[in-house]
Amino acid sequence: MARRFDLLVFDWDGTLLDSAGAIVSAISSACADLGLVPPPEERARHVIGLGLKAALQYALPDLGEDRYPELAERYRHHYLAGDQELQLFAGVAELIGELAADGFLLAVATGKSRHGLDRALAASGIGSYFDASRCADECFSKPHPQMLHELLDELSVDADKALMIGDTTHDLQMASNAGVQSLAVSYGAHTAADLGRFRPLACLQHSEELHAWLRRYA
């Protein structure tokens, strides 16, 4: 059977790495350091996948513009203090290795900085499987389609032969903006109901389902 997709683009946090809780906790701790009232958890989880500046502006929209750099510094302090302990979701390492062995092109499109992604890829043990990646400090933040447009150009893949896989509405909206189909996972940051509004090909509830879905339909 002919392969449906040549390129599989993964979000990182909340899709491959079980980090959503750590991100929410780091936002709350950063707020506490500065004597700020932290955003409700639902609002904090919504920002996952955005670039850090856009995320903090959404999480605390009434904060003075001159205070965001200080908040970002405290966020990085708390997140980096524990990020080496974060784990890939169950089955992800095996899945990425098998997809690479099967000849798929693999990429990452993330709201992390380049430094943050490189650090995470090195710690994960799966970094060598990815053919390309784009980060929020290199492109417009999601849901702008720049990350996907650049990955398609770099890897010489047509939009209809690529699939974006993510756990947030930012991922799915970015895919739609780029003319790329999407696959949602609801075990990360955003709910299945919110993800479903963007009409992904499917919405998977557990990381282990990714392997079965991609083997059957990709």
Side-chain angles (χ1 to χ4, degrees):
M1 185 174 66
R3 178 171 290 172
R4 187 175 183 183
F5 301 107
D6 295 328
L7 169 62
L8 305 178
V9 183
F10 292 88
D11 169 61
W12 187 259
D13 289 304
T15 300
L16 298 181
L17 188 73
D18 188 3
S19 53
I23 292 171
V24 171
S25 177
I27 292 174
S28 179
S29 296
C31 289
D33 288 350
L34 302 183
L36 303 171
V37 177
E41 181 175 350
E42 181 179 357
R43 190 170 187 88
R45 291 181 76 86
H46 182 79
V47 309
I48 295 171
L50 298 175
L52 182 56
K53 181 178 180 180
L56 295 179
Q57 287 174 331
Y58 181 91
L60 286 87
D62 298 326
L63 189 65
E65 188 66 28
D66 61 332
R67 301 202 68 189
Y68 286 116
E70 185 181 13
L71 183 62
E73 187 279 327
R74 297 314 300 162
Y75 168 83
R76 292 189 188 96
H77 168 80
H78 288 289
Y79 183 80
L80 294 176
D83 72 328
Q84 295 298 300
E85 300 176 7
L86 298 176
Q87 300 292 319
L88 297 171
F89 285 106
V92 161
E94 296 80 7
L95 168 65
I96 296 300
E98 289 185 21
L99 293 172
D102 287 343
F104 286 99
L105 292 169
L106 303 178
V108 173
T110 178
K112 301 181 86 67
S113 67
R114 170 53 59 189
H115 175 75
L117 179 62
D118 287 347
R119 175 184 168 102
L121 288 172
S124 71
I126 61 173
S128 63
Y129 294 120
F130 293 99
D131 300 284
S133 59
R134 287 296 186 279
C135 299
D137 57 351
E138 301 167 334
C139 300
F140 289 113
S141 182
K142 301 171 185 177
H144 193 284
Q146 183 183 3
M147 290 188 194
L148 287 179
H149 284 163
E150 290 194 3
L151 290 169
L152 294 172
D153 288 344
E154 178 178 343
L155 299 172
S156 299
V157 175
D158 292 333
D160 63 352
K161 296 294 288 183
L163 177 67
M164 176 69 209
I165 303 160
D167 69 307
T168 72
T169 57
H170 315 305
D171 298 314
L172 306 191
Q173 189 174 356
M174 176 179 66
S176 178
N177 291 341
V180 169
Q181 295 198 71
S182 63
L183 176 65
V185 297
S186 62
Y187 52 76
H190 292 184
T191 66
D194 286 338
L195 294 166
R197 292 189 291 109
F198 292 89
R199 299 186 178 182
L201 295 177
C203 186
L204 308 179
Q205 297 181 349
H206 305 286
S207 59
E208 293 91 338
E209 295 178 27
L210 261 179
H211 190 172
W213 194 97
L214 292 172
R215 180 168 292 279
R216 182 173 183 181
Y217 296 111

